[in-house]
Amino acid sequence: MKFKTIAKMALAAGTMAMASVTLAQNYKDEYRLSLVVGTAFPWGKGGEIWADMVRERTDGRINIKLYPGVSLVQGDQTREFSAIRQGVIDMAVGSTINWSPQVKELNIFSMPFLTTTYAGTDAIINSEIGKTLFDAIDKRGVLPLAWGENGFRQLSNSKRIISMPDDLKGMKIRVVGSPLFIDTFTALGANPTQMSWADAQPALASGAVDGQENPLSIFIAAKMQTLDQKYITMWNYMNDPLIYVVNKDVWASWTPQDREIVKQAAIDAGKQQIELARKGLIEPGEPMVKQIIDSGVGVSYLTDEQLAAFKKAVQPVYDKWKKQIGPDLVEKAEKAVASTR
């Protein structure tokens, strides 16, 4: 009896192994991973780390190719999420900002001055709120696996030091395609101009727009001082978490073992990517800021009174979007942030 049992177990194991091999034979030769920026940026580097980890850990069964510049959707960042759901894109490391038009809950990270610290950001994504946001993405037809980070977005421009809302009046500021950003910069007296990142760079260089807001890692990698960006205001008005995702049909086509490998690789890559995004900003002396100053750019920090003036100016926007996102969710985020102070 023992011999028969062992034989049956061996047969079952062999059958499962053959099924895994058959599934693996149906894998694509290449999986398309969408990115807004290339590997010179921490964001793009996070995608590269993920792809390399997956290729190595699956012994080449899953081969991922990077497509920076959201080239799979002709550079339109706001179409990326829909393209993942539809299968035009297999995988992505995407911005919560760019996906917020399709997943309204992700607008929570764009709420002006909800948190100005990394501790506050971490408290949100590592809590029940983070799970709620992943559930919201899942319900919209895309599978989220891990968090990354683009970073706190700082304001740069070619005209003047900005220390109060009045300094922004009439200034053309490039923003991403999110209504919340349009509302925020309109409330500050600026003229928000929506355009893709690919279009933004020549627009800055030509003076078609005066300024933009992005993490400092983007400023450095894009050499924005050569795009006539002479002044930076450090205001930490919002952070931009990234999310590692996979198309659901692609996910279903992999063996359970490979799914676990891809998910763990996303988690590992996300942790490394967050470290890269914060490097030079959390160390004493902020080496990244010093590097920017050494390139000839003026960097200013807001006083508590100046920061309060900006918060007051955008409070109506905050109140409006709190209702749209969901008061309960926003209040949970506010409590999570408050717990870190």
Side-chain angles (χ1 to χ4, degrees):
M1 291 294 292
K2 288 183 178 180
F3 177 78
K4 288 182 179 179
T5 301
I6 294 171
K8 287 180 180 179
M9 291 173 63
L11 179 62
T15 302
M16 290 176 62
M18 288 177 65
S20 296
V21 171
T22 301
L23 280 171
Q25 288 174 344
N26 294 326
Y27 283 17
K28 295 182 182 181
D29 292 334
E30 171 191 299
Y31 292 91
R32 298 160 296 188
L33 193 157
S34 179
L35 294 161
V36 170
V37 296
T39 55
F41 304 80
W43 181 348
K45 191 67 178 176
E48 181 181 56
I49 292 169
W50 189 23
D52 289 345
M53 282 183 176
V54 170
R55 189 179 301 109
E56 180 182 347
R57 295 178 185 181
T58 62
D59 296 323
R61 288 189 301 279
I62 298 177
N63 180 45
I64 300 169
K65 182 177 179 180
L66 307 184
Y67 285 82
V70 264
S71 56
L72 295 170
V73 284
Q74 293 74 52
D76 187 346
Q77 297 164 226
T78 58
R79 286 180 53 208
E80 186 179 49
F81 187 86
S82 297
I84 300 164
R85 186 175 55 221
Q86 294 162 359
V88 175
I89 296 170
D90 299 316
M91 307 166 72
V93 180
S95 162
T96 55
I97 298 171
N98 293 336
W99 296 352
S100 61
Q102 289 81 34
V103 186
K104 70 172 185 177
E105 293 88 345
L106 293 180
N107 281 294
I108 196 166
F109 294 110
S110 301
M111 293 282 279
F113 304 106
L114 169 62
T115 178
T116 58
T117 67
Y118 291 118
T121 302
D122 292 342
I124 293 171
I125 66 174
N126 293 325
S127 68
E128 176 191 344
I129 307 157
K131 295 176 183 176
T132 299
L133 296 174
F134 268 24
D135 287 342
I137 294 168
D138 194 0
K139 288 176 182 177
R140 296 329 193 273
V142 174
L143 186 67
L145 301 179
W147 292 99
E149 182 174 283
N150 193 20
F152 278 104
R153 301 174 77 89
Q154 315 299 357
L155 183 64
S156 75
N157 80 96
S158 61
K159 300 293 186 184
R160 65 184 76 94
I161 294 172
I162 295 172
S163 55
M164 293 293 283
D166 282 350
D167 297 326
L168 272 166
K169 282 191 175 177
M171 195 175 286
K172 290 184 179 179
I173 303 295
R174 176 266 174 178
V175 296
V176 295
S178 164
L180 177 46
F181 281 70
I182 299 291
D183 286 352
T184 297
F185 281 88
T186 299
L188 293 172
N191 178 12
T193 305
Q194 178 184 328
M195 59 178 62
S196 70
W197 174 240
D199 292 336
Q201 295 173 81
L204 290 166
S206 68
V209 294
D210 303 312
Q212 61 83 52
E213 44 77 59
N214 253 312
L216 295 189
S217 61
I218 300 285
F219 189 99
I220 288 176
K223 298 180 180 178
M224 285 196 204
Q225 70 273 15
T226 67
L227 303 178
D228 204 29
Q229 296 300 284
K230 302 173 183 176
Y231 308 99
I232 291 177
T233 299
M234 300 288 288
W235 62 344
N236 281 24
Y237 87 112
M238 60 86 56
N239 201 337
D240 178 21
L242 305 175
I243 306 176
Y244 289 66
V245 302
V246 178
N247 168 272
K248 286 192 173 184
D249 289 336
V250 168
W251 180 260
S253 73
W254 292 332
T255 64
Q257 295 87 346
D258 281 345
R259 289 177 205 158
E260 186 57 37
I261 289 172
V262 172
K263 181 176 181 179
Q264 188 58 52
I267 293 169
D268 295 342
K271 289 178 180 177
Q272 289 189 38
Q273 193 275 323
I274 291 172
E275 290 178 2
L276 288 173
R278 298 181 182 183
K279 187 177 181 181
L281 293 169
I282 59 175
E283 300 88 343
E286 296 181 319
M288 186 181 292
V289 177
K290 184 178 185 302
Q291 180 181 345
I292 291 173
I293 292 172
D294 289 345
S295 72
V297 177
V299 177
S300 60
Y301 290 79
L302 299 180
T303 65
D304 290 342
E305 291 76 16
Q306 290 168 341
L307 185 61
F310 279 97
K311 288 181 177 179
K312 182 178 179 181
V314 299
Q315 190 62 48
V317 177
Y318 190 101
D319 294 341
K320 170 188 173 181
W321 279 89
K322 183 173 181 177
K323 293 176 183 177
Q324 294 193 21
I325 295 167
D328 290 345
L329 185 63
V330 175
E331 285 168 11
K332 286 179 181 178
E334 290 169 347
K335 289 178 181 177
V337 171
S339 70
T340 67
R341 295 190 184 118

